[in-house]
Amino acid sequence: MAEVQLRHIDKRWGDFIGVKDFDLTIPDKEFLVLLGPSGCGKTTTMRMIAGLEEATSGEILIDGKVVNDLEPKDRDVAMVFQSYALYPNMSVYENIRFPLKVRNIDPATHDEKVMRAAEMVELTNFLHRRPADLSGGQRQRVALARAIVREPNVFLMDEPLSNLDAKLRVSTRAQIKNLSHELQITTIYVTHDQIEAMTLADRVVVMSAGNVQQVGTPTEIYNYPANTFVASFIGSPAMNLMKGTIEGGVFTAENVTITGLDKRLSGNITLGFRAEDAVVTDGSEAASGINAKVFSIELLGDATMITVKVNDELVAIKADKEYVTDIGQPFSATISAGICHLFDAETGERLSQPESA
């Protein structure tokens, strides 16, 4: 059992608030991702769990025990850093083995534990090499193996893929996903990459400016963002957000008219929809949707991304890969009420669900 509880955690440096009232229980074996832009407080939160930063107020519990006053080495957590932090003069084998030596684990068990960890991350053929002789992805796998060999209660991973190129990020992400399934150890993972969060997490905590914006499964956060910040941060491309007015169930903005929305709402509003949810028309104008000129075209391989302008903001819509047009040509797409997300124009908070058209 390795449940982690964060009870109203604050972190301040003078007047600056790094993390504000972080209150969450992370069940045993859950893979939790802390997601947000640089400076949002996600790494600070992880460092407080690890004991590398002291919480200004609140309690941190691991396995039911308050650990605020415990040294990092006494919290039974293993941390994987962005920078790998490998010993250059040691072989891969000795790098993986090092935590066992430091913790005075019976030397008779070292070889078995190291080989098991190396096998899990597919490094058995590289144990004799030094870190300088490895690729970035291999070095990160050494760091993972070094964490695995400790058999901790909790894994902490601080942006472990950010130094890798795009192809290596994909393969190493799959490695981490498989390890999580195999090891069944509570894992807290920090990233600014929403694709990593969506593909790895059981639950995601979206953070901004030290505050938790939303906690939920990847599906919940993608389908029901709590506010415009979450909507604009999750998704590739991010959710389209258009400012306009709503009256009698009809939303209007430049080049946009959408009908069938919540008739209880009136006044200024922000409407959002996903690029893949709009339907490109066959040349006729959309009765409920966007009618504008093409601003740009991007061929993605599996689709064509069409961008138009609404109120001087760029709005992206996915079309079939066979779709052909040119910049400046008329473009129309139907946006049904059922795919729309409605947000308060001032606060950005999510409003009621739209009524059926």
Side-chain angles (χ1 to χ4, degrees):
M1 176 75 173
E3 180 181 84
V4 178
Q5 293 175 276
L6 304 175
R7 294 179 177 172
H8 303 288
I9 296 297
D10 284 349
K11 179 61 180 180
R12 296 186 180 89
W13 293 273
D15 294 333
F16 179 76
I17 300 175
V19 177
K20 184 178 181 181
D21 196 28
F22 195 114
D23 191 70
L24 185 70
T25 295
I26 305 162
D28 182 40
K29 300 178 184 178
E30 181 173 69
F31 196 117
L32 183 86
V33 173
L34 304 179
L35 173 68
S38 296
C40 72
K42 58 188 186 295
T43 295
T44 300
T45 301
M46 172 173 284
R47 288 175 64 85
M48 287 190 287
I49 296 170
L52 302 175
E53 294 278 359
E54 184 178 347
T56 305
S57 61
E59 289 184 325
I60 301 169
L61 291 83
I62 299 177
D63 202 12
K65 180 180 180 181
V66 177
V67 299
N68 291 53
D69 297 328
L70 293 183
E71 293 293 321
K73 64 183 178 62
D74 298 323
R75 298 193 182 196
D76 201 13
V77 301
M79 195 160 182
V80 179
F81 295 93
Q82 173 183 344
S83 60
Y84 318 141
L86 303 179
Y87 297 101
N89 60 324
M90 292 184 183
S91 66
V92 169
Y93 183 97
E94 289 300 328
N95 265 283
I96 298 172
R97 182 188 178 199
F98 189 75
L100 302 177
K101 295 169 70 175
V102 170
R103 295 170 69 86
N104 296 316
I105 304 298
D106 181 2
T109 67
H110 287 195
D111 191 65
E112 180 184 351
K113 290 177 181 292
V114 170
M115 295 305 293
R116 176 176 174 270
E119 186 176 349
M120 281 183 159
V121 296
E122 300 177 3
L123 281 175
T124 51
N125 293 330
F126 301 91
L127 291 174
H128 63 286
R129 294 192 185 183
R130 299 284 179 91
D133 300 322
L134 303 176
S135 68
Q138 289 165 341
R139 291 180 198 177
Q140 191 56 273
R141 282 188 277 152
V142 176
L144 287 170
R146 190 175 55 189
I148 291 167
V149 81
R150 282 193 52 192
E151 300 177 355
N153 270 335
V154 181
F155 278 134
L156 304 176
M157 300 189 183
D158 187 11
E159 305 211 39
L161 307 184
S162 60
N163 285 343
L164 306 180
D165 62 36
K167 185 177 180 180
L168 275 176
R169 279 201 300 271
V170 172
S171 60
T172 310
R173 191 170 69 218
Q175 196 100 39
I176 290 173
K177 183 77 171 181
N178 183 266
L179 280 173
S180 172
H181 175 78
E182 190 170 343
L183 294 171
Q184 294 290 298
I185 294 176
T186 307
T187 302
I188 302 170
Y189 185 105
V190 162
T191 184
H192 63 273
D193 187 323
Q194 54 93 15
I195 294 177
E196 284 179 30
M198 297 293 285
T199 54
L200 290 173
D202 295 321
R203 281 192 304 164
V204 179
V205 178
V206 184
M207 300 183 68
S208 173
N211 292 288
V212 173
Q213 300 294 315
Q214 187 172 0
V215 181
T217 66
T219 300
E220 289 168 348
I221 287 176
Y222 188 84
N223 289 337
Y224 305 105
N227 52 46
T228 51
F229 175 82
V230 176
S232 65
F233 201 79
I234 298 292
S236 182
M239 181 181 288
N240 295 304
L241 297 172
M242 306 182 296
K243 291 186 176 181
T245 58
I246 188 170
E247 200 67 50
V250 179
F251 172 87
T252 55
E254 181 187 15
N255 300 322
V256 181
T257 301
I258 300 174
T259 60
L261 297 167
D262 194 332
K263 295 180 180 178
R264 297 169 294 177
L265 299 174
S266 64
N268 294 331
I269 200 171
T270 299
L271 182 144
F273 72 94
R274 298 283 182 192
E276 66 270 23
D277 290 337
V279 178
V280 178
T281 63
D282 57 0
S284 58
E285 288 198 352
S288 177
I290 289 180
N291 298 290
K293 290 185 177 180
V294 175
F295 181 79
S296 73
I297 310 161
E298 297 171 271
L299 304 178
L300 306 179
D302 62 336
T304 301
M305 190 71 73
I306 307 297
T307 302
V308 299
K309 272 192 173 183
V310 175
N311 299 330
D312 288 328
E313 295 290 333
L314 298 181
V315 172
I317 296 169
K318 271 189 179 180
D320 290 339
K321 62 182 178 181
E322 293 87 5
Y323 185 80
V324 178
T325 187
D326 289 311
I327 291 174
Q329 291 298 306
F331 174 81
S332 297
T334 297
I335 302 171
S336 65
I339 70 169
C340 294
H341 304 255
L342 307 178
F343 304 94
D344 187 284
E346 297 298 322
T347 66
E349 293 301 308
R350 187 179 189 86
L351 297 171
S352 62
Q353 288 294 105
E355 296 177 345
S356 299

